[in-house]
Amino acid sequence: MKKASILKIIIFILICTVSTTMWSQQKLSAKEVVKRADDNMRGKTSLADITIKINRPTWSREMNMKAWTKGDNYSMILVTSPARERGTVFLKRIKEVWNWIPSIERTIKLPPSMMSQSWMGTDFTNDDLVKEASSVSDYEHKHLGKETIADKECYKIEMIPKPSAAIVWEKVLVWIDTVDFLQLKAEFYDEDGELVNVMKSSDIKVLGGKKITSKIEMFPIDKEEQSTVIMYNNIVFDEPINNNFFTTRNMKQLK
């Protein structure tokens, strides 16, 4: 009888724990869901080894790079290959974005108008890679229900840029799974409400102690057989990085 009572108590605790978890997830605001997904891919800090492949109907090419981030305010990207682009650096510091071009030994400050332009010939924009805009603080968020993506139940969330944010998109729709808070899909719409790009994330792996989507693909809607793929080869989270690392002077010294 005593064992049966203990078993009932354990089952009751498990049911309560599951119910509490499900209830807490149901109560999450759309903004909180987006923040969890954003934190998943960033951590407090991150250092990533990344390969980007550009696919076109008649050719393709690859670039390799290192990327450092610290919260929402700081990021640095160093292109390590091919030789023609090696040493090119992009820096985000608070709301300023800089580009170091080694071939002309010049640092250029990118204006907000350039953030919507292609990043080094890819299908991603400068903002997609350097992330001047914050997916959390620069948008208003709204739940649109739930849908299934790749056999995973996802929150479907509408993101509308705030009037003060310099963002080219009229709206962005994102699908974030309800268990691990991984963003599995995003759609980008222009000012006319037309779908422009679709981004899909897959190949879920544990890298740096976190479960992340290690493959991100961007597909332009009006350009068949064209895409850009970002692959995370390795990533380290939460190692201390001093704010002084993210400076225009340091851009010229990265290796």
Side-chain angles (χ1 to χ4, degrees), residues 8-221:
K8 287 179 181 179
I9 292 171
I10 292 172
I11 292 172
F12 176 75
I13 291 172
L14 288 173
I15 291 172
C16 289
T17 301
V18 172
S19 298
T20 301
T21 302
M22 291 177 63
W23 176 245
S24 64
Q25 288 190 6
Q26 288 173 354
K27 291 197 300 182
L28 286 174
S29 70
K31 183 176 181 178
E32 288 170 330
V33 172
V34 171
K35 186 178 187 308
R36 286 201 184 189
D38 195 55
D39 290 345
N40 246 359
M41 292 299 292
R42 288 178 181 268
K44 294 178 182 177
T45 67
S46 69
L47 167 56
D49 173 25
I50 296 170
T51 298
I52 293 184
K53 185 174 182 180
I54 306 170
N55 299 307
R56 298 295 182 261
T58 58
W59 58 269
S60 66
R61 72 183 183 99
E62 287 190 0
M63 290 189 291
N64 290 291
M65 63 187 195
K66 293 180 181 179
W68 296 259
T69 69
K70 185 174 184 179
D72 282 339
N73 289 327
Y74 301 98
S75 65
M76 186 95 82
I77 296 173
L78 166 67
V79 179
T80 57
S81 69
R84 185 174 60 182
E85 283 98 4
R86 184 186 298 134
T88 301
V89 179
F90 290 82
L91 165 68
K92 174 198 172 182
R93 188 176 174 89
I94 316 298
K95 284 294 184 181
E96 295 182 338
V97 178
W98 302 81
N99 178 203
W100 163 251
I101 306 174
S103 60
I104 60 175
E105 296 188 347
R106 191 175 169 194
T107 302
I108 300 171
K109 185 177 181 181
L110 302 184
S113 60
M114 286 189 66
M115 297 314 295
S116 61
Q117 295 183 11
S118 167
W119 187 85
M120 299 192 71
T122 71
D123 297 301
F124 290 87
T125 66
N126 287 316
D127 191 48
D128 291 330
L129 270 293
V130 185
K131 295 190 181 297
E132 180 198 34
S134 166
S135 58
V136 178
S137 60
D138 288 329
Y139 290 85
E140 300 290 350
H141 308 82
K142 178 183 177 183
H143 276 297
L144 297 181
K146 293 180 181 178
E147 291 184 2
T148 300
I149 301 289
D151 297 325
K152 293 183 179 294
E153 183 184 53
C154 295
Y155 297 106
K156 182 180 179 181
I157 294 172
E158 180 184 69
M159 297 170 47
I160 304 294
K162 293 180 179 178
S164 58
I167 297 173
V168 65
W169 308 116
E170 180 70 17
K171 72 175 178 181
V172 180
L173 300 182
V174 296
W175 286 257
I176 297 169
D177 90 90
T178 60
V179 177
D180 297 310
F181 295 92
L182 299 174
Q183 181 179 298
L184 301 181
K185 182 181 176 183
E187 294 181 348
F188 302 85
Y189 293 80
D190 65 16
E191 59 186 6
D192 296 320
E194 296 291 329
L195 179 60
V196 177
N197 290 333
V198 174
M199 187 170 73
K200 297 180 179 180
S201 302
S202 58
D203 285 6
I204 297 171
K205 296 179 180 178
V206 175
L207 294 176
K210 284 178 174 284
K211 187 182 287 188
I212 68 167
T213 50
S214 65
K215 182 179 181 181
I216 302 172
E217 301 173 271
M218 185 71 84
F219 301 92
I221 291 301

